[in-house]
Amino acid sequence: MRVSRAGKVAAVVLLLVAAAGFATVYNRANREATTSSEQAYRAWKEGVENERRFYFKEARVGFARALELDPQFAMAMIGLARNSEREQQISLTKRAERERDRLTPHERYHVDLMQADIDHDRPKFIAIAKKIHEKFPEDLRAAGILASDEMIHGRFDRALQYFGEVLSIDPNNADAYNQIGYYYGYRGDYEKAILNLKKYQFMAPDQANPYDSLGEIQAYSGHYDEAVENLQKALALKPDFYESYGHLAVAAEGRGDYPKAIEYYERASQESVNEGPRIDLLLRAFHVAAFSGDLVRAREIVQRAAALPHDKSSDDQWEIGRDFVRAVLLAQEGHPAEAEKALLALKPRWNAEFVKNAKGTPLKPYWPYWNWVMARADLAQGKIDEAIVLEEEMANPPNPWQDFQARRWVYEGRADLAELVARKGDFERADKLLAENHKWNPNWAPTRTAELSVAQMHRERVQTASQ
């Protein structure tokens, strides 16, 4: 939409102010941007719109162009910071802070929000988001931060309420419907998730993300054909939309096509804008390769991930991740006792990092991937009771899950636990665990081995009883 104007008189005044060298505030729906250049404003608006579309490469171009046109444009600095690596984030935010006296209250809040994020000061981060929401309730970014915080506390209904408040002000806010759809999807309410995402798709039919959002939820819910169809539509609209390649990988995993899943995760990593997702997606490819038995491919993927640049401020986490990957390979290569020793040495280091980064939240130290690998190392050594304890924690995690990856560990923990309790003769509980899983996804290949094992034990029990 065009920047609003209050008639010819206001236009003349704006020109005079700009000519005098003062900052001009361009307004649209109570969202303000302090800049001395209308061209810079337009470039910034283009960046904002592309960021909302999840077109991050284009968003960076827009914000960089705005900053080139107006080197004092604080909101362009913050927009570019949101889409940059950490060192550039720090530099851009410091530049924006030097412009504070020229900024509107709304802008100052967003500068402070970015700084709190960089500082990992979660209490301050949440407090600023609350102030933004109180004074600017249409601000979807603040609503999303507060909704995520409610999910951490397990308050799903309150999380949804924040997006409802945005919609009460702007009923056509497509992004809010997208967020609502995901929150229902995380909870496992497939029908409500799809209903809200269909509204999002209706409002933004020419964008890739509505199709990607539908495809992601369908992939995690076992609707693989529909998922692939929607994800391919997203890629037809934007061939470098890296999220869609990652979600095609999920669909391939669900179907049991592990080589294709690895290929898609690698492509997603290649198309990613920033180093964090790029490394994360390669590690997902590693996980699939390692646990499908392709250890040669797994090692090759790890070598590529290790060669990528990473945030130097997180070197401790990087080293923990490197050592964990080594433990995974030990477990998969048939050295469970060595893997167990490495995992036990790793856990205190990881817990310390968790406590540091989770400061200001009610989250308890919990690493489901560690549980998953350790349980396999225990089982390989005949320690079924120890493995059950680990799988129990996965099936009933101490923290609420906030995305599909976290929920996936619950799903896979339940399936593994079902197999173990069935071995102990508790078929009733095994069936209940699998039934709970099937409400989310009735056909997930990574849990198929456990499900088939339970079915086989059922058959053997019936045969024994009939003899």
Side-chain angles (χ1 to χ4, degrees):
M1 296 179 68
R2 297 181 64 183
V3 180
S4 62
R5 290 289 182 270
K8 294 182 179 179
V9 174
V12 172
V13 172
L14 291 174
L15 288 172
L16 290 172
V17 172
F22 294 98
T24 301
V25 178
Y26 292 101
N27 298 293
R28 176 183 177 274
N30 294 324
R31 290 187 63 87
E32 303 167 320
T34 302
T35 175
S36 58
S37 166
E38 186 167 0
Q39 285 184 315
Y41 174 82
R42 289 173 178 170
W44 173 76
K45 283 301 297 178
E46 186 175 340
V48 169
E49 290 305 316
N50 277 318
E51 192 176 30
R52 286 175 176 168
R53 295 183 184 106
F54 296 83
Y55 294 1
F56 298 122
K57 293 176 185 177
E58 291 81 356
R60 288 181 64 168
V61 170
F63 293 134
R65 176 61 176 159
L67 197 52
E68 179 184 336
L69 290 164
D70 177 3
Q72 294 180 291
F73 196 166
M75 285 301 95
M77 298 172 198
I78 294 301
L80 190 56
R82 282 196 302 265
N83 294 277
S84 299
E85 309 299 356
R86 181 175 174 81
E87 289 185 10
Q88 191 174 14
Q89 284 181 346
I90 294 170
S91 174
L92 287 164
T93 304
K94 285 182 179 178
R95 284 179 62 187
E97 286 181 329
R98 289 196 289 268
E99 305 296 330
R100 283 186 67 87
D101 291 345
R102 306 168 59 248
L103 304 181
T104 67
H106 197 181
E107 290 174 304
R108 290 175 188 170
Y109 280 132
H110 277 283
V111 173
D112 295 343
L113 192 70
M114 191 72 217
Q115 187 60 58
D117 191 26
I118 289 170
D119 294 340
H120 302 298
D121 189 341
R122 185 173 181 84
K124 185 175 181 180
F125 186 68
I126 297 301
I128 295 167
K130 286 180 178 177
K131 290 178 181 177
I132 296 173
H133 184 70
E134 289 169 4
K135 297 185 178 183
F136 307 94
E138 75 284 357
D139 191 312
L140 189 66
R141 188 178 306 282
I145 291 168
L146 296 175
S148 177
D149 188 59
E150 294 296 341
M151 288 290 280
I152 287 175
H153 289 82
R155 297 190 287 260
F156 174 80
D157 291 338
R158 179 57 184 140
L160 284 183
Q161 188 177 337
Y162 279 110
F163 298 119
E165 290 168 5
V166 172
L167 288 172
S168 69
I169 298 168
D170 179 9
N172 295 318
N173 191 309
D175 300 325
Y177 285 112
N178 182 40
Q179 296 299 320
I180 292 170
Y182 269 102
Y183 276 64
Y184 276 117
Y186 297 155
R187 195 169 71 167
D189 194 331
Y190 179 77
E191 297 302 327
K192 286 185 179 178
I194 296 301
L195 175 65
N196 281 280
L197 290 176
K198 288 286 187 181
K199 293 177 182 177
Y200 176 39
Q201 184 186 48
F202 177 78
M203 293 177 178
D206 60 339
Q207 296 176 23
N209 196 61
Y211 296 99
D212 175 76
S213 297
L214 281 164
E216 180 180 4
I217 288 177
Q218 288 164 334
Y220 278 107
S221 303
H223 299 262
Y224 301 124
D225 290 341
E226 297 103 308
V228 170
E229 181 181 354
N230 277 306
L231 294 167
Q232 294 291 4
K233 285 179 180 178
L235 290 169
L237 288 165
K238 195 171 194 315
D240 64 348
F241 203 62
Y242 81 90
E243 292 276 13
S244 291
Y245 288 110
H247 300 147
L248 282 169
V250 172
E253 274 192 273
R255 285 173 160 165
D257 189 345
Y258 299 126
K260 180 63 71 175
I262 294 167
E263 178 184 327
Y264 279 134
Y265 278 132
E266 291 178 317
R267 178 63 185 275
S269 175
Q270 177 186 330
E271 297 291 353
S272 178
V273 180
N274 294 320
E275 63 191 20
R278 194 174 299 127
I279 294 169
D280 177 65
L281 288 159
L282 275 184
L283 291 179
R284 293 188 194 186
F286 162 78
H287 172 79
V288 177
F291 287 95
S292 64
D294 190 346
L295 298 182
V296 173
R297 187 76 175 273
R299 286 190 173 278
E300 185 270 328
I301 292 169
V302 165
Q303 289 174 357
R304 277 193 286 130
L308 291 174
H310 67 279
D311 178 3
K312 297 302 181 183
S313 70
S314 62
D315 276 345
D316 290 343
Q317 296 173 36
W318 178 264
E319 291 175 6
I320 289 169
R322 178 198 61 198
D323 293 345
F324 179 70
V325 163
R326 291 172 181 165
V328 170
L329 289 171
L330 283 170
Q332 289 303 104
E333 290 171 348
H335 306 287
E338 292 178 42
E340 180 182 25
K341 183 179 178 181
L343 289 166
L344 289 172
L346 196 59
K347 191 66 175 292
R349 293 164 55 197
W350 184 88
N351 281 349
E353 281 295 305
F354 184 97
V355 169
K356 181 174 70 175
N357 290 303
K359 184 179 179 181
T361 76
L363 298 177
K364 299 176 182 177
Y366 172 57
W367 189 3
Y369 201 172
W370 186 93
N371 282 41
W372 199 70
V373 180
M374 179 63 91
R376 277 154 177 73
D378 283 340
L379 286 172
Q381 299 174 83
K383 301 177 181 178
I384 187 170
D385 290 334
E386 288 90 335
I388 286 176
V389 171
L390 294 165
E391 302 289 7
E392 286 278 11
E393 187 176 41
M394 290 183 68
N396 303 281
N399 304 317
W401 60 86
Q402 300 169 65
D403 56 30
F404 284 120
Q405 282 295 311
R407 194 183 79 162
R408 173 177 173 170
W409 290 119
V410 178
Y411 191 95
E412 297 191 9
R414 281 179 186 165
D416 291 340
L417 181 60
E419 180 180 6
L420 296 182
V421 298
R423 287 192 201 179
K424 292 277 193 175
D426 191 348
F427 288 94
E428 182 178 353
R429 183 158 187 228
D431 291 343
K432 183 178 179 181
L433 287 163
L434 295 180
E436 288 172 353
N437 268 1
H438 292 164
K439 292 176 184 177
W440 286 354
N441 185 335
N443 183 23
W444 180 246
T447 61
R448 197 168 294 151
T449 299
E451 292 172 352
L452 291 174
S453 178
V454 172
Q456 178 61 29
M457 284 186 274
H458 266 298
R459 287 192 292 271
E460 290 172 355
R461 184 179 64 159
V462 171
Q463 289 171 358
T464 300
S466 64
Q467 290 175 357

